Amino acid sequence: QTLQEKGLMNTGAGKSSFAVLLFQDVAVIPMIAIMPLLALGEKHGGGVTEAAGHGAGTVESLPAWAQTLSVLGAVALVVVAGRYLVRPAFRIIARTRLREIFAAAALMLIIGIALLMAKVGLSPALGTFLAGVLLASSEYRHELESNIETFKGLLLGLFFITVGTSIDFWLVVTQPGLILGLLGGLILVKFTVLFVLGRLFKMGLDQNLLFAAALAQSGEFAFVLFSFATQDGVLGAEMAGELVAVVALSMALTPLLLLLNEKWIQPRFGTKEQDDRQPDTIDEVCPVIIVGFGRFGHIVGRLLSANGVNATVLDVDSDHVDLLRKLGLKVFYGDASRHDLLHSAGVEQAKLLVVAIDDEERTLRIVETARKNFPHLTIFARARGRAHAYELLEAGIDHVYRETLDTSLVMGVDVLRKLGFRSYQALRSARTFRRHDEKLLRELCLMRHDRKAYIDRARQAIQDLETILRDELAQAHDSGDGAWDVDSLRQELGRD
């Protein structure tokens, strides 16, 4: 949840963290299955068991080996039933097109499996996890997710309330040294193990620190394991109580660990590798300087190179620079927002500066530096979206290119063709749309700080553009024209 709120789920650390969390949840099943085989003491209930919702059931009367087989059999039964019973049932429910029944069926499945697990002496938490796996593997998982979205926050809050009430605070008060020592040891050991694993899998230092900090706490399924361990006599009730307190406190510290990593560890250690690397010595002077050679900039650079135009390429990502060099491309490492680096790149002799990075703030810094110190340059800048384009226009950049505009128009043209529109009409509509949208972009830029005027003009512009496109389509049908006429072609090319 924290990674999602911070927008880090799509990073390398976010994906790795989520993968490890899923693996930890799956690993609980075999750990629960072998728990009876580890039993040495007398079985008993209460304490952690009751807090975790794990009560006595039919499984407890079986031998240890039979209990292990029972857990595995229950998991296999739920998986098989889900494939051959639940999926067909959801197909029938989907035909009713009633969202309420769909949501009720999903909740009934979750509660039913949880009650079934509790009835045979297994954990309801294990049952809800298996139910979640079944729902996630269904072809209706996206609709199910949207239907039960409203319950997610409530159930998550209920879970953490349950975790809080399971903590024996008197134990924490009477044995603070033991609890804090176990807590520090848990976080330190997990952080170290995760950091070492991250290095083995060749994660960058920044991502590795985030990965280790995000997972340094214990997981919620520890409560389920302690419940089984207490009941089977693997752990004593007093020791289980201490471990429950340590796990719950470690989970509470997760946001603080991520904040500590973001505010203290990353600035001192995470960026050190990149800061220590000095900018490359640039030994060429070209008419074009390209800043950023990722998914956007490399297309511009390769097109120029194919037409015999040499360009000096700069990129601030040292790992990316090393990779590009291995591919045979000449790329220099350095921060183009620095005046001295642009000077060493031969900016005085260059004619054009192409800023193709996707960092909005750095783009504006580079543009400001170039305009202030090298006014002779013609600057071409990539904009991530409309708001970013407004900022670049206000900074005095005339050549602004929104990164998704052309691709979106190409897709629109292909969709129109697929629907039976003539190719010339689809292309003409796309060109008209682009011409009016570019004109509107500059017009709205002047009034974007006046919200009412901005919305009124944007609404009117949408209606005007739709009217123009419909009129063009009607004229084409009325005239029976199958190609561009000379007058409209000149107008589209700006040669009135």
Side-chain angles (χ1 to χ4, degrees):
Q1 182 70 19
T2 304
L3 293 173
Q4 186 73 42
E5 291 172 356
K6 291 179 176 292
L8 298 172
M9 280 301 297
N10 290 326
T11 64
K15 293 178 181 178
S16 298
S17 299
F18 191 64
V20 171
L21 286 174
L22 287 178
F23 183 82
Q24 287 179 173
D25 292 345
V26 174
V28 169
I29 296 175
M31 294 172 72
I32 290 176
I34 66 173
M35 194 68 69
L37 301 177
L38 303 177
L40 297 175
E42 182 180 353
K43 295 185 177 182
H44 52 83
V48 179
T49 300
E50 294 178 354
H54 177 62
T58 57
V59 173
E60 295 179 18
S61 59
L62 300 175
W65 62 269
Q67 293 183 34
T68 297
L69 293 179
S70 298
V71 173
L72 297 177
V75 173
L77 177 63
V78 170
V79 173
V80 173
R83 176 174 291 274
Y84 295 104
L85 297 178
V86 174
R87 289 186 179 182
F90 273 117
R91 292 192 188 101
I92 296 174
I93 295 172
R95 296 193 188 104
T96 66
R97 301 185 182 277
L98 296 175
R99 296 186 60 185
E100 294 80 4
I101 298 180
F102 219 73
L107 293 175
M108 184 182 69
L109 176 67
I110 296 171
I111 296 173
I113 295 179
L115 292 177
L116 178 63
M117 289 292 177
K119 188 68 176 176
V120 299
L122 298 177
S123 170
L126 176 62
T128 55
F129 171 72
L130 293 175
V133 172
L134 289 182
L135 295 178
S137 62
S138 168
E139 60 265 39
Y140 301 103
R141 58 185 177 276
H142 299 299
E143 186 171 357
L144 287 167
E145 184 178 4
S146 64
N147 288 336
I148 64 176
E149 181 71 25
T150 54
F151 301 100
K152 184 188 298 184
L154 294 174
L155 296 176
L156 191 62
L158 180 62
F159 167 75
F160 282 107
I161 291 175
T162 305
V163 170
T165 58
S166 68
I167 301 176
D168 187 350
F169 288 99
W170 179 248
L171 182 64
V172 177
V173 173
T174 56
Q175 302 183 48
L178 175 63
I179 300 300
L180 293 178
L182 291 174
L183 177 61
L186 169 66
I187 293 176
L188 180 62
V189 170
K190 282 205 68 177
F191 186 93
T192 303
V193 171
L194 291 165
F195 186 82
V196 171
L197 288 175
R199 298 301 288 181
L200 290 176
F201 282 88
K202 302 185 184 305
M203 292 181 65
L205 181 59
D206 290 353
Q207 295 297 308
N208 199 7
L209 288 171
L210 176 59
F211 169 68
L215 299 180
Q217 82 289 349
S218 185
E220 63 274 9
F221 271 103
F223 301 115
V224 180
L225 291 176
F226 294 155
S227 170
F228 275 88
T230 303
Q231 179 178 321
D232 293 332
V234 179
L235 293 177
E238 182 179 355
M239 180 179 293
E242 295 170 351
L243 295 178
V244 166
V246 170
V247 169
L249 291 174
S250 74
M251 294 173 67
L253 288 177
T254 301
L256 296 179
L257 290 175
L258 290 173
L259 184 63
L260 180 66
N261 174 67
E262 180 182 345
K263 300 297 184 182
W264 189 80
I265 297 179
Q266 290 282 3
R268 287 170 172 78
F269 302 99
T271 58
K272 185 176 181 181
E273 289 184 340
Q274 194 176 79
D275 290 343
D276 284 346
R277 177 166 176 171
Q278 296 299 316
D280 294 333
T281 300
I282 302 175
D283 55 358
E284 63 182 19
V285 176
C286 299
V288 180
I289 298 176
I290 299 177
V291 179
F293 212 65
R295 58 187 173 89
F296 191 97
H298 91 277
I299 296 177
V300 178
R302 290 173 59 193
L303 180 62
L304 294 178
S305 178
N307 285 274
V309 178
N310 295 324
T312 301
V313 181
L314 305 174
D315 201 297
V316 76
D317 188 336
S318 58
D319 293 336
H320 188 54
V321 169
D322 293 338
L323 175 61
L324 291 173
R325 287 177 177 173
K326 292 178 181 178
L327 296 175
L329 300 173
K330 192 171 185 179
V331 183
F332 298 98
Y333 169 76
D335 184 359
S337 63
R338 292 171 48 181
H339 172 275
D340 58 335
L341 184 70
L342 286 176
H343 178 76
S344 65
V347 72
E348 285 88 354
Q349 291 79 33
K351 298 179 181 178
L352 305 176
L353 175 65
V354 178
V355 184
I357 60 176
D358 61 356
D359 188 322
E360 298 182 12
E361 293 184 2
R362 284 191 60 241
T363 297
L364 291 172
R365 289 201 305 268
I366 294 170
V367 165
E368 291 171 358
T369 300
R371 280 184 53 81
K372 178 181 177 181
N373 298 282
F374 311 103
H376 71 283
L377 279 177
T378 300
I379 301 175
F380 292 75
R382 165 192 180 183
R384 295 197 63 183
R386 206 173 191 90
H388 189 204
Y390 290 148
E391 293 177 338
L392 291 170
L393 289 172
E394 289 180 342
I397 306 302
D398 293 328
H399 305 282
V400 177
Y401 298 84
R402 286 169 282 167
E403 61 182 23
T404 58
L405 177 61
D406 289 310
T407 304
S408 302
L409 290 175
V410 169
M411 178 183 286
V413 169
D414 291 341
V415 170
L416 288 174
R417 286 172 171 168
K418 197 68 175 178
L419 292 173
F421 285 73
R422 293 182 179 273
S423 295
Y424 86 93
Q425 183 59 46
L427 289 169
R428 174 181 284 179
S429 295
R431 291 179 179 178
T432 301
F433 185 99
R434 175 172 184 148
R435 186 171 66 252
H436 282 266
D437 193 63
E438 290 288 352
K439 179 182 178 181
L440 180 64
L441 178 73
R442 285 159 172 76
E443 183 179 344
L444 291 178
C445 180
L446 301 176
M447 58 180 68
R448 73 187 188 104
H449 298 294
D450 185 345
R451 184 173 179 80
K452 185 178 184 306
Y454 180 92
I455 293 177
D456 291 342
R457 180 67 188 99
R459 183 185 292 116
Q460 183 62 46
I462 292 173
Q463 296 174 357
D464 293 344
L465 180 56
E466 290 180 355
T467 301
I468 292 172
L469 293 177
R470 289 196 188 100
D471 290 344
E472 281 191 357
L473 182 61
Q475 292 174 7
H477 283 306
D478 293 341
S479 64
D481 184 21
W484 285 279
D485 58 87
V486 176
D487 292 337
S488 64
L489 184 59
R490 286 180 176 175
Q491 183 179 4
E492 289 173 7
L493 294 176
R495 297 176 181 176
D496 298 339

